[in-house]
Amino acid sequence: MRASSGLDARKWGILLVLCGAIFLEGIDVAMLNVALPSIRADLGLSTGELQWVMSAYVLGYGGFMLLGGRAADLFGRRRMFVFWLTVFLLFSGLGGFATEGWMLIVARFVTGVAAAFMTPAGLSIITTGFAEGPDRNKALLIYSGTAAGGFTIGLVAGGLLTAIGWRWVFFAPVVLSFVVLVAALVFVPRSARPERLGRRLDGAGALTVTAALVLIVLGVERAAHAGAASSVGTLAAGLAFLVAFVLIERRSPEPLVRLGIFRNGPLVRANVSAMLFAAGFFGFQFLVVLYLQELRGWTTLQTSLAMLVIGIDAVLSPTLTPRLVLRFGNAKVIFGGLALAALSYGLFLPLGADWSYGAMFPSLIILGLAFSMAYGPLTIVATEGVADEEQGLAGGLLYTAFQFGAAVGLSAVTAVSVAATRGDTPAALLDGYRTGLLVPFATAVLAAAVGAFGLRSRKDGGPTSDAGNAAAERADIPVAH
């Protein structure tokens, strides 16, 4: 590893711009999460429509992430970052003017697509603009910590803004986006125009995989209120698009996804575990927010402060997790995090109509610990042993797995909760929430089962692996060589 030369003023300027963008993405999602009940009340949305306000964003994000990473390589990272940050700004503002549910859902989908192009472009500016070694590690640690901090601060900011009016949850990011955009034009340097001769975007692959994701999620969500034939037909159409995607990738000279990468067992396990973990994490938060605000009558600010403890991951991820990886290896830490997630959801299953915050606190803080243990090591395993020229692909696959899992989890808890709610009385709502909570519990148990297979494979990262050493170095832990 090369000695650090330190970050000069120019690099600090670039890093602050990119941190502002990832902070924006984190705070945007968190603020919307706590504003959902107020949006439902004002626009008269059903639970299914409300779920799509969240799912539309993660589908746009996950469906176009792979294409976004490749577009940054072909058309220029700065160009893609600035252009899609502008789109993010515009459609976030348009969401605040929505008067119908479909308007908000469309605005959120386009905002998610913008994030899918903006985020990999920003990350690649760091990985190509900072020297490999201490400088890049420091930049990435600040970058990832800012993302977690954005989500945590967004929980509180969302409560405060929703107390004024839920539309400010969409207007506030416009102001921050504009500041970041101006700073990007000043600090992020122009790069040489990439050589694109003979290279093209795999548009057909991107469209078919996105159609597959949308239809599969729609099929899961419709299971609660549509006929069996309609739900099965929607799922079948989604699977057909998935098959089409695979066929396109097999024949494409420049595929969006080189299918041979799935021969990497640890990578596949990491992606499946990430998908299941995200499904439980987002589904659980969705139900808890509805429970606190619609059944218990808590304000948005009270809900925000209650959920804030989950944000402990912003502190633990860069401090505790590297030490755990060094001591036990990635596989054991991942398994521990997934098992803790199952424990967190299991403790919440006997949910009562008048639970005190003290009764909820163990589940929430354990979930924050679980996230801090699972997220970072999953990222390491999903990208370890992958050739440099496919690191973007490996990262894109992981983020796609997270976003698709989040969308399926939201749809599944909605379908199960709605199906189990027999009436509009408090008791009926509570029955629906309790039944819906089985979904995150089941997905966490499945994720832990998948993670357990990694315990038998040293390829998933042992205590003396390079990944463990890298994690230790980021935390300034001495490593024996």
Side-chain angles (χ1 to χ4, degrees), residues 300-315:
T300 52
L301 182 57
Q302 288 174 316
T303 302
S304 298
L305 294 174
M307 302 286 284
L308 185 61
V309 67
I310 299 176
I312 193 174
D313 70 284
V315 176

Side-chain angles (χ1 to χ4, degrees), residues 214-229:
V214 171
L215 288 170
I216 290 172
V217 172
L218 180 61
V220 173
E221 189 274 331
R222 296 185 71 184
H225 54 78

Side-chain angles (χ1 to χ4, degrees), residues 123-347:
L123 181 59
S124 63
I125 290 173
I126 291 179
T127 57
T128 57
F130 292 78
E132 184 177 0
D135 285 355
R136 184 185 296 179
N137 290 341
K138 182 177 182 179
L140 289 174
L141 183 59
I142 294 172
Y143 185 75
S144 59
T146 303
F151 186 84
T152 301
I153 294 174
L155 291 173
V156 177
L160 292 171
L161 291 172
T162 305
I164 301 172
W166 66 262
R167 296 180 188 277
W168 282 101
V169 168
F170 297 92
F171 296 148
V174 172
V175 179
L176 180 57
S177 298
F178 182 76
V179 173
V180 174
L181 178 61
V182 172
L185 294 173
V186 173
F187 289 105
V188 179
R190 295 180 182 275
S191 56
R193 182 181 294 272
E195 177 58 54
R196 300 197 303 271
L197 185 63
R199 304 174 69 190
R200 64 183 180 84
L201 284 174
D202 183 10
L207 291 175
T208 50
V209 73
T210 302
L213 299 182
V214 171
L215 288 170
I216 290 172
V217 172
L218 180 61
V220 173
E221 189 274 331
R222 296 185 71 184
H225 54 78
S230 176
S231 299
V232 171
T234 304
L235 287 171
L239 293 175
F241 272 105
L242 193 59
V243 171
F245 169 71
V246 172
L247 293 175
I248 289 170
E249 299 308 283
R250 289 183 63 182
R251 298 176 181 178
S252 174
E254 295 185 59
L256 198 64
V257 178
R258 184 182 65 83
L259 299 181
I261 199 171
F262 293 112
R263 297 191 186 99
N264 184 326
L267 178 146
V268 173
R269 279 192 292 273
N271 278 274
V272 173
S273 296
M275 180 182 68
L276 292 169
F277 179 74
F281 186 79
F282 280 85
F284 176 78
Q285 289 192 83
F286 181 73
L287 287 179
V288 171
V289 168
L290 293 183
Y291 164 76
L292 292 177
Q293 294 193 37
E294 297 194 339
L295 184 64
R296 300 296 301 279
W298 287 27
T299 65
T300 52
L301 182 57
Q302 288 174 316
T303 302
S304 298
L305 294 174
M307 302 286 284
L308 185 61
V309 67
I310 299 176
I312 193 174
D313 70 284
V315 176
L316 297 180
S317 292
T319 56
L320 175 65
T321 304
R323 289 173 167 80
L324 291 177
V325 168
L326 177 65
R327 176 68 178 84
F328 300 105
N330 288 310
K332 290 181 179 178
V333 176
I334 290 171
F335 177 76
L338 299 176
L340 283 176
L343 174 62
S344 169
Y345 305 143
L347 291 174

Side-chain angles (χ1 to χ4, degrees), residues 40 45-52 221 286 290 294 414 418:
R40 184 222 286 268
L45 305 182
S46 67
T47 301
E49 291 174 314
L50 191 67
Q51 170 265 135
W52 273 103
E221 189 274 331
F286 181 73
L290 293 183
E294 297 194 339
T414 300
V418 169

